[in-house]
Amino acid sequence: MTPPDLVVADAAVPGRDGRWTLVCAAGQVLELSPHDPAARFPEARVIEAKGQLLLPAMTDAHTHLREPGQEWKEDIASGLAAAAGGGFSNILCMANTDPVNDNESVTRLMLRRASEAWPHGPRLFPVGALTMGLAGKQLAPMEELLAAGCVAFSNDGEPVADTELFRHALEYAADLAPVIDHCEDPYMAKGAGANEGVMSARLGLRGQPDVAEALQVARDILLAEYLNAPVHLAHVSCRRAVELIADAKRRGAPVTAETCPHYLTMTDAALFGYDTMAKVNPPLRTDDDRLALIQALREGVIDILATDHAPHAAHEKETPFEDAKNGITGLDTALGSLWELVRLGQLSAEDIAQRFAWRPAEIFRLPHCRFAPGDPADFCLFDPEQSWVVTPETLRSKGKNTPLLGQSLTGRVTLTAVNGHVVYELARAGA
């Protein structure tokens, strides 16, 4: 048997009583066993967790790493740095680069940049464009993109308005890889960045009604059922969409869905003062929507969590509200912000593992760790009691555009390992 080379001792594990020791060798899990203080591993690096939570490293199915073409916002190296610091082992990055990732040369460039910058991970998995140039007129060469390394297809923030073309996309992709759809009616206050309601009226902003999202969710569900072809619904933000998805799942429709930490922890009240940092698409909704999403996540109606990490430069947010770019950076803060819901009893640590690690990896057929022998040694340590302040300096992403700036979070990733390589370790005070 290969001797252990990495050990995490004295860790708490969600769903299990007591303390545990994870033993790894050659990048794989050997065993997870009850902690024995007398056990010795002379040839291994032993990490003393001291009661911190041992979590499976997470998979983020929705990020924007901006390379090629918009490296002033983010590049693959800085995006993966943020991923490592956030506790992620797998990152899917969307196709809205410049040029668009609609051909194998762009896909291969992205993968090469990732392997050069972070050879041991986090792993990068490009999402290929669904249509050429994201223009919604002609399908992209999906088999070519799949062969080059793409694991899913999406038109991202440019949802396909032509339903006949979208139907063909679902049919063609059904035997290849999942289709991810950004659900937004292309004619109803597209990209407004504010929910249509009391807050938008108070601020005098053009708002987007939740029905703009629900219309597209309904179309996608009907097509998926009719064709028996799967579709994954991106960043669900409202109760109306949740109810449609719940009904579809009761009928057995091949539909999966995601939501994001900001839709679970914030409402459109964050726009008060015309805060462009809280401008995102789909927009932050009401507290009723937020509570519906939390319940849906607990019950599995919403399958997974994803950050929709969307970094922007400062000058792209320091504008009048209507001119500001949509998007919130999320890789650095995802787990810390969600942990407040765990503290409140609205989610559990097991929910986090299921919805942010295991289920997304299953949907997109990616490597993941359930701490079983032979699993990749992908894990993170999380200190649920450590408080930290979100500042430009504590964010590893180039994008500092988050409404959490200046706020204190309780709970922090202290170490991330991918395939048994420690790719991030928080510097200890005084060390």
Side-chain angles (χ1 to χ4, degrees):
M1 188 173 86
T2 306
D5 53 25
L6 182 66
V7 173
V8 179
D10 195 19
V13 177
R16 301 176 186 234
D17 295 329
R19 298 290 179 87
W20 294 79
T21 292
L22 178 69
V23 182
C24 308
Q28 295 184 334
V29 171
L30 285 182
E31 65 173 351
L32 179 67
S33 57
H35 177 56
D36 176 3
R40 295 291 178 267
F41 304 93
E43 298 181 31
R45 178 187 175 188
V46 178
I47 299 165
E48 296 291 343
K50 299 180 180 177
Q52 292 184 77
L53 276 176
L54 174 65
L55 295 168
M58 298 178 290
T59 288
D60 192 343
H62 195 148
T63 72
H64 303 268
L65 298 193
R66 307 304 193 195
E67 186 176 2
Q70 296 183 313
E71 289 85 352
W72 70 89
K73 299 171 186 268
E74 188 81 287
D75 55 36
I76 287 171
S78 62
L80 291 180
F88 295 90
S89 57
N90 300 322
I91 297 297
L92 274 65
C93 59
M94 287 292 167
N96 64 335
T97 48
D98 185 11
V100 168
N101 183 19
D102 61 8
N103 64 82
E104 65 172 330
S105 63
V106 177
T107 303
R108 296 191 191 283
L109 170 71
M110 297 165 84
L111 291 171
R112 186 168 67 249
R113 291 277 193 271
S115 65
E116 290 169 351
W118 290 85
H120 300 302
R123 309 178 190 93
L124 182 76
F125 296 98
V127 176
L130 197 62
T131 67
M132 294 301 296
L134 303 178
K137 302 296 184 185
Q138 176 187 354
L139 293 183
M142 294 186 209
E143 288 197 50
E144 172 187 313
L145 290 165
L146 186 72
C150 289
V151 298
F153 306 107
S154 178
N155 236 46
D156 192 47
E158 301 296 334
V160 179
D162 183 336
T163 301
E164 178 73 359
L165 184 66
F166 191 68
R167 166 200 172 143
H168 290 314
L170 289 180
E171 289 174 321
Y172 192 61
D175 294 329
L176 301 176
V179 170
I180 304 171
D181 197 28
H182 169 117
C183 291
E184 179 183 22
D185 183 275
Y187 308 105
M188 189 174 282
K190 183 175 185 294
N195 181 53
E196 184 174 278
V198 173
M199 182 56 68
S200 65
R202 181 180 296 175
L203 297 175
L205 295 173
R206 184 180 69 135
Q208 184 194 70
D210 61 0
V211 72
E213 177 178 326
L215 279 170
Q216 203 85 348
V217 167
R219 180 197 75 165
D220 287 7
I221 288 171
L222 289 169
L223 279 174
E225 280 187 290
Y226 179 67
L227 301 170
N228 193 28
V231 66
H232 179 76
L233 308 174
H235 43 49
V236 173
S237 72
C238 63
R239 176 182 289 276
R240 207 182 293 272
V242 165
E243 291 172 350
L244 288 167
I245 296 165
D247 285 344
K249 289 197 167 189
R250 277 192 284 272
R251 297 192 301 272
V255 174
T256 56
E258 71 188 34
T259 191
C260 309
H262 43 271
Y263 299 121
L264 303 178
T265 58
M266 304 179 199
T267 69
D268 58 355
L271 298 182
F272 188 74
Y274 302 94
D275 186 354
T276 59
M277 292 294 190
K279 184 180 181 186
V280 64
N281 187 27
L284 298 174
R285 305 280 187 189
T286 67
D287 198 50
D288 179 67
D289 294 303
R290 187 184 72 84
L291 294 173
L293 289 166
I294 292 172
Q295 181 177 351
L297 194 69
R298 276 201 312 264
E299 296 175 350
V301 172
I302 300 291
D303 299 80
I304 68 171
L305 287 158
T307 65
D308 193 13
H309 176 79
H312 291 295
H315 71 271
E316 295 170 309
K317 285 289 192 177
E318 293 170 351
T319 68
F321 189 89
E322 291 82 356
D323 299 332
K325 296 284 189 183
N326 280 304
I328 294 174
T329 183
L331 285 168
D332 290 278
T333 58
L335 201 48
S337 61
L338 284 171
W339 203 252
E340 179 61 18
L341 299 179
V342 177
R343 298 173 77 85
L344 293 171
Q346 296 177 333
L347 291 178
S348 67
E350 294 95 315
D351 290 329
I352 302 291
Q354 176 68 22
R355 305 295 171 203
F356 227 157
W358 298 328
R359 186 69 180 125
E362 289 172 351
I363 291 171
F364 296 100
R365 307 163 194 163
L366 305 181
H368 61 287
C369 176
R370 289 179 177 268
F371 300 120
D375 282 355
D378 296 355
F379 60 85
C380 66
L381 283 176
F382 182 75
D383 183 347
E385 303 301 328
Q386 184 173 156
S387 294
W388 58 291
V389 178
V390 181
T391 67
E393 293 73 28
T394 55
L395 299 178
R396 289 159 64 90
S397 168
K398 286 185 183 179
K400 314 301 180 186
N401 50 299
T402 168
L404 296 173
L405 272 183
Q407 295 187 28
S408 178
L409 299 178
T410 300
R412 192 171 195 181
V413 174
T414 61
L415 182 144
T416 304
V418 181
N419 277 338
H421 293 277
V422 175
V423 296
Y424 169 75
E425 194 163 7
L426 180 66
R428 291 169 296 172

